[in-house]
Amino acid sequence: MLFSFGPDRPETKKPYFRFIKQFPKSSTMHEPITSADLPETGFSRAEIAFIQSHRNDDISQLILKAGKFKEFDVKKLAAQIAARQKAVKKLPEWAENKELIFPPALSVEQSSSEATARYKAGLVGGTTFTDITGGMGVDCFYMSRNFETAHYYELQAEVARAAAFNFEKLGAHHIKVHAADSLKSLEDTDQYFDWIYADPARRDFNWEKVVLLSDCTPDVLSHLPILFKNAPDILLKTSPLLDIDLAAKQLQKLKEVHVMGYEQECKELLFVLNRDIVSDQFMLRVRIINADGSVRYGLDFSREDEREAAVTYSKPLSYLYEPHPAVLKAGAFKTVCTVFDVAKLSVNSHLYTSEGFCANFPGRSFEIIGTCKPDMKEIADFAKDGKANLTLRNFPAKIQDLRKKWKLKEGGDIYLFATTLADHSRIIIVTKKPA
């Protein structure tokens, strides 16, 4: 039996959730799973105690010691422990609940984080909501808090029942879980929703990763008429690798795109669709968020704003700025100059500088303490202990090659930026974190 925990999650052939097979089936594919369909607990009290007492253990070592715990299926419980170890930082609220059923650790690693799910929850609200791509249910759980009733759809019955079990333990009794084909269910009903959420699977029939919307499952593009029949607003989550402008042309009814940044990564793209939209213009909203889903940095602009933005070029001044990957993904290369009053080092370097410090720049900020040629002796004058953090921007080399050439070890308080200036000269900008 195959198990999948989310539209973009890889499947695993190991039945980690053997007890799920004990769940009775719903009377029809369209009726929601009820609490009567679920067992009182996924694990016995003894198993829960075992998981908690070994929650910080090395998993491989624990499995090797399985003979010491003959009363337990150590392999099954070790899988739960491994998943919970991944969830401690990513899903702290879920990790704190001792009774929840977790999918394999890889699925937890690739699921939405609590931070991004909480942010998405702030984009939607109303009376009724439906998540048509189910999976582990993290997004559905947090987004559903802004609705009186929520519906969760998942094709794989065992995955749906695991989600239903977790929702019950988390107190989300207003979420109705359906082990059914969401698109067929929506096509066959006239039920109204305020919002529909979709996170299509980004793997093909050979389980190779895909990016284009038309290659994802379900194909939201071809089913937009069905979705808009049931709801005026759609929130679509996609891979951060998706071409925003291509997707905008395909989706048409596009209101705005949220480019999500968390920690040092661009995590996901969120397309907000509205069936009454007639314009091909849309807003881009870059959001770099904190662990609680609140916005740390934000930047709003349109493609027209970017085209018309005035940009100035300068040699390194007092401060250097490296935009967050989400800013770069959104394509705000010139807009940041006008919004944050900074100058660009060159057209293709995507590094910025200013004389005064810009405290709210969306990315990493550094104080410039010097510049030098890309030469080992000159660099050694700044990295006296042989340590430095190295970043390349529009510089023809590989970091590992330069580290070897310049005999640099990773770490320390010095940050080197190898880049090309507007006059095509190549330099090393030596920086440190601002005081």
Side-chain angles (χ1 to χ4, degrees), residues 186-233:
L186 292 178
E187 194 172 15
D188 294 343
T189 182
D190 291 325
Q191 186 170 0
Y192 174 87
F193 302 101
D194 293 297
W195 281 88
I196 288 176
Y197 174 67
D199 177 11
R202 294 185 280 280
R203 290 183 182 272
D204 61 18
F205 291 108
N206 296 318
W207 287 98
E208 297 292 332
K209 288 185 178 180
V210 297
V211 175
L212 295 177
L213 287 175
S214 56
D215 293 334
C216 296
T217 306
D219 180 358
V220 172
L221 284 176
S222 62
H223 291 92
L224 280 175
I226 294 174
L227 301 181
F228 277 133
K229 175 180 74 74
N230 294 87
D233 293 292

Side-chain angles (χ1 to χ4, degrees), residues 379-397:
I379 293 171
D381 289 338
F382 292 99
K384 297 186 183 301
D385 58 356
K387 289 184 178 181
N389 304 280
L390 179 60
T391 298
L392 273 59
R393 282 276 185 256
N394 190 23
F395 195 90

Side-chain angles (χ1 to χ4, degrees), residues 265-280:
E265 294 182 64
C266 180
K267 287 294 187 181
E268 55 195 50
L269 303 179
L270 303 173
F271 292 81
V272 180
L273 311 178
N274 179 272
R275 66 184 173 200
D276 296 326
I277 293 290
V278 293
S279 172
D280 61 355

Side-chain angles (χ1 to χ4, degrees), residues 314-322 342-343 345 351-359 364-369 429 431-435:
S314 171
K315 290 185 177 181
L317 300 172
S318 296
Y319 295 94
L320 186 75
Y321 308 96
E322 182 188 32
V342 294
L345 295 187
L351 290 173
Y352 301 80
T353 188
S354 68
E355 194 61 56
F357 182 58
C358 180
R364 296 200 300 168
S365 303
F366 302 88
E367 182 180 351
I368 298 175
I369 59 178
I429 305 174
T431 72
K432 64 178 183 178
K433 290 290 183 68

Side-chain angles (χ1 to χ4, degrees), residues 121-186:
L123 301 180
V124 299
T127 303
T128 56
F129 160 82
T130 186
D131 178 345
I132 66 170
T133 46
M136 187 174 172
V138 175
D139 283 330
C140 183
F141 172 69
Y142 287 101
M143 294 170 73
S144 73
R145 290 177 169 179
N146 291 335
F147 299 88
E148 294 177 12
T149 304
H151 294 263
Y152 159 110
Y153 282 88
E154 168 58 52
L155 273 171
Q156 298 186 76
E158 70 278 6
V159 177
R161 290 185 173 85
F165 177 86
N166 286 343
F167 292 154
E168 283 288 317
K169 296 302 178 183
L170 289 164
H173 307 297
H174 64 303
I175 302 177
K176 301 183 184 300
V177 175
H178 306 263
D181 183 326
S182 59
L183 292 175
K184 188 177 187 306
S185 297
L186 292 178

